[in-house]
Amino acid sequence: MTTKAGNLFTTAYLLLIFCIYPFYMKEGYVDIGESKYHFFLYSSLAALLILAILAGVGAAGRIWQRYKKREAYLIQWEKVRISSTDLFVGLYVLAIAISYLLSDFPQEALWGTEGWRIGLVLLLILCGLYFLTSRQWEASSFVWYGAMAASGLVFLLGILDRFSIYLIPISIRDPAFISTLGNINWFCGYLSVLVPIGGCIYLFSTGSVQRGFSAVYLFLAFTAGFCQGSSSVFLFWAAMFLVLLWISILKREWIGRWFFLAALWGFSARAAGGLRALFPEGYNYEIDNPCLLLADSNLILVAAVFCTWISFFLNRRSKRNPGIVRKYKMIRRILVGISMLGIILFGALLFVNTMYGVPGLAGNGFFCLGKDWGNGRGAAWRAGADAFARMSGIKMLFGAGPDCFSAYVYSEPHTAGMLRDYFGSSRLTNAHNELLTSLINTGVVGTFCYYGIFISGIVRGLKSVEGRLDLIIPAVCIFCYLVHNTVSFAQVLNLPFVFLIVAMGEAMHRKTGI
């Protein structure tokens, strides 16, 4: 009875967060970070209490049954299953607790910076939710479809907002604010976690209805991505298409679908360009952003048509010769090798051009890691690296405290001067690079545990991808989150989702025994 109740309540909580939380508003989305945080805080604390009670009652019932059967009623530790992800979450709890106790900013470390709130309280709630969700959820697939339906509506509202069509009243209008999520960085952070669900279902689902639903969803999501205006979305797209290709190579029919997914992306780009052509006066963001420059190109339409033809050709061949691709391992190695080579070459070019200048690229901001690189990310990274280098040994290990980036960097006179020279009176709350932000907040130990949680979830999911859609989805979502956040940050509209997805993946692993 308690098992069913735990599953039912966990499913209800997941639907609340995935389907209601993105739309929650207070006073027309004024102070959106604070209002969203409080919604998540109170609903999650209530969920933790109820799930803990159900887990406790269930454990007591099992012990009583053993006692009645004259079995050992003490916990049989050899039967307790502890995964690598469990271990990293447990260690992370210990690391952030130590970081908080050593912090020079206890209030900030406890609750988090105002407007962001990624402090100790939120992180402990997320870790508690991980353990209780992973043990009590029975992997109901309709949670994924509910998440897609809700996020699809979020993306539709984002498209309409970008063209000055406002279905939801908002107290303060700003072109940087899009849909129900906040500014475009928050929008892209949310998009990077949720959209891979649709990509996985389209590629790997066996049902035509599910694939049709996900195709419509993806067209909407891709179009929203092109409309919003932030260039960081390209990094997310690269991550998603790369990891999905890495998986798709396993089966011929998946490869054909991957090419149609690429075609869908191209058609979505032209849809965004077409909307701007139809409503030129309604578009309310800068028109020279990379998203629109690509969306206005006919070349992407040609590429989309070409990918459609390849998809049709491969699908016909896969029907005559279905099954596993014999040399998929070799193809994967080549794919990884090409990707790594591309990253190394770009990094080398960026370094050489920044230090010495390369003829023809010296004035190109994209290939020069100066202060202006990435809309000020260069300046943020330099300041973050400077602040970390000035930490003492114990601070380097455990950081300044959860979500204490802003408090710490502005307490260092040299770093604070660097930030004020570039950002003026605007206060930087993170380094726009999650690795660097995490190093300052929770140090090397906390960062190691934090990334261990996600990387273990990715590795375990991708090791067992054949025919296991429920294990693929979490791995791909986590991977896309990590890659996108190399130029972005954790906030209350992406970190809770990715932690819950990690928990859902763990629940599926425990259910399947993989």
Side-chain angles (χ1 to χ4, degrees):
M1 181 63 72
T2 55
T3 300
K4 291 182 179 179
N7 173 53
L8 182 63
F9 187 82
T10 306
T11 301
Y13 170 74
L14 291 173
L15 289 174
L16 173 71
I17 298 302
F18 280 98
C19 300
I20 305 299
Y21 178 47
F23 300 100
Y24 176 74
M25 67 183 294
K26 184 179 181 181
E27 298 178 0
Y29 290 109
V30 174
D31 295 327
I32 187 170
E34 289 291 313
S35 59
K36 295 278 191 185
Y37 163 73
H38 285 107
F39 177 93
F40 183 81
L41 175 69
Y42 298 136
S43 59
S44 297
L45 284 174
L48 277 175
L49 178 62
I50 295 171
L51 289 174
I53 291 172
L54 290 173
V57 171
R62 289 190 294 272
I63 292 173
W64 177 247
Q65 289 299 321
R66 291 174 189 166
Y67 176 75
K68 288 200 303 182
K69 294 179 181 179
R70 299 183 181 280
E71 296 178 0
Y73 54 86
L74 295 177
I75 297 176
Q76 300 177 20
W77 291 104
E78 69 276 10
K79 292 185 179 181
V80 175
R81 180 180 174 185
I82 303 295
S83 70
S84 57
T85 310
D86 293 340
L87 183 62
F88 278 116
V89 174
L91 291 174
Y92 184 62
V93 169
L94 182 61
I96 60 177
I98 295 173
S99 179
Y100 165 72
L101 292 173
L102 296 176
S103 178
D104 297 326
F105 318 97
Q107 190 70 13
E108 194 110 353
L110 182 63
W111 298 106
T113 299
E114 185 177 356
W116 298 89
R117 299 303 185 188
I118 311 294
L120 179 69
V121 170
L122 180 69
L123 295 176
L124 289 179
I125 288 172
L126 292 176
C127 293
L129 286 170
Y130 164 81
F131 282 111
L132 291 172
T133 299
S134 62
R135 269 64 179 173
Q136 300 192 61
W137 190 54
E138 294 294 330
S140 306
S141 61
F142 66 85
V143 172
W144 297 120
Y145 294 101
M148 287 171 61
S151 60
L153 182 54
V154 169
F155 300 143
L156 176 60
L157 291 172
I159 296 170
L160 295 175
D161 278 7
R162 186 53 75 223
F163 288 92
S164 305
I165 302 172
Y166 304 112
L167 299 185
I168 296 179
I170 297 177
S171 299
I172 301 174
R173 285 290 172 197
D174 187 324
F177 185 107
I178 183 168
S179 191
T180 63
L181 305 178
N183 67 30
I184 56 177
N185 288 315
W186 288 44
F187 187 87
C188 289
Y190 174 85
L191 183 144
S192 69
V193 177
L194 274 295
V195 173
I197 298 172
C200 292
I201 290 176
Y202 176 77
L203 286 177
F204 311 120
S205 176
T206 57
S208 56
V209 175
Q210 292 93 323
R211 290 202 304 275
F213 174 67
S214 59
V216 174
Y217 167 79
L218 288 166
F219 183 81
L220 197 62
F222 289 155
T223 304
F226 278 105
C227 288
Q228 50 78 38
S230 172
S231 55
S232 70
V233 75
F234 285 98
L235 188 59
F236 154 67
W237 280 330
M240 187 179 79
F241 277 100
L242 179 63
V243 70
L244 290 179
L245 178 60
W246 190 86
I247 301 170
S248 299
I249 287 170
L250 184 64
K251 291 186 179 180
R252 292 179 176 86
E253 61 178 320
W254 291 355
I255 300 174
R257 293 178 192 171
W258 185 90
F259 274 97
F260 185 76
L261 187 67
L264 198 62
W265 181 80
F267 289 130
S268 301
R270 287 304 291 141
L275 286 172
R276 197 175 76 83
L278 287 173
F279 308 103
E281 300 300 323
Y283 188 78
N284 56 23
Y285 203 66
E286 56 190 37
I287 61 174
D288 60 345
N289 67 74
C291 291
L292 274 193
L293 292 176
L294 186 61
D296 290 338
S297 171
N298 288 323
L299 184 61
I300 198 170
L301 182 61
V302 174
V305 173
F306 182 64
C307 286
T308 302
W309 180 81
I310 294 177
S311 174
F312 178 75
F313 173 75
L314 291 174
N315 284 332
R316 289 192 63 183
R317 291 200 62 180
S318 69
K319 289 179 181 178
R320 294 196 298 267
N321 187 21
I324 303 294
V325 177
R326 286 183 299 173
K327 297 184 178 181
Y328 76 90
K329 290 185 179 179
M330 182 185 70
I331 298 172
R332 281 180 173 176
R333 293 190 187 103
I334 294 172
L335 180 63
V336 172
I338 292 173
S339 301
M340 294 302 296
L341 180 62
I343 293 171
I344 292 170
L345 290 176
F346 175 76
L349 181 60
L350 191 65
F351 175 78
V352 173
N353 189 46
T354 301
M355 297 299 295
Y356 308 107
V358 175
L361 292 178
N364 190 316
F366 183 71
F367 292 100
C368 183
L369 192 59
K371 292 181 179 180
D372 295 327
W373 188 87
N375 293 324
R377 284 173 173 81
W381 291 3
R382 286 188 180 187
D386 179 79
F388 183 71
R390 293 175 183 277
M391 283 183 161
S392 63
I394 192 70
K395 290 293 185 185
M396 281 190 172
L397 285 176
F398 294 102
D403 207 15
C404 286
F405 178 93
S406 181
Y408 173 73
V409 296
Y410 284 98
S411 70
E412 287 290 327
H414 184 268
T415 309
M418 293 173 63
L419 291 172
R420 293 192 182 100
D421 287 343
Y422 187 87
F423 295 102
S425 59
S426 298
R427 191 170 180 85
L428 196 70
T429 56
N430 62 84
H432 276 72
N433 174 282
E434 189 158 13
L435 176 62
L436 186 53
T437 304
S438 182
L439 283 171
I440 291 174
N441 285 338
T442 56
V444 173
V445 175
T447 300
F448 174 78
C449 298
Y450 180 77
Y451 277 83
I453 294 168
F454 297 135
I455 292 172
S456 65
I458 295 170
V459 172
R460 293 172 65 212
L462 295 185
K463 272 186 176 180
S464 51
V465 296
E466 185 178 353
R468 297 301 317 188
L469 175 63
D470 50 357
L471 301 178
I472 295 172
I473 291 175
V476 175
C477 290
I478 299 164
F479 180 80
C480 291
Y481 169 84
L482 288 182
V483 173
H484 179 260
N485 274 18
T486 58
V487 295
S488 193
F489 46 82
Q491 33 88 358
V492 294
L493 279 165
N494 63 359
L495 186 62
F497 290 112
V498 78
F499 249 91
L500 289 175
I501 287 172
V502 173
M504 293 162 74
E506 178 65 23
M508 295 172 198
H509 280 289
R510 297 177 73 84
K511 181 180 179 181
T512 57
I514 297 176

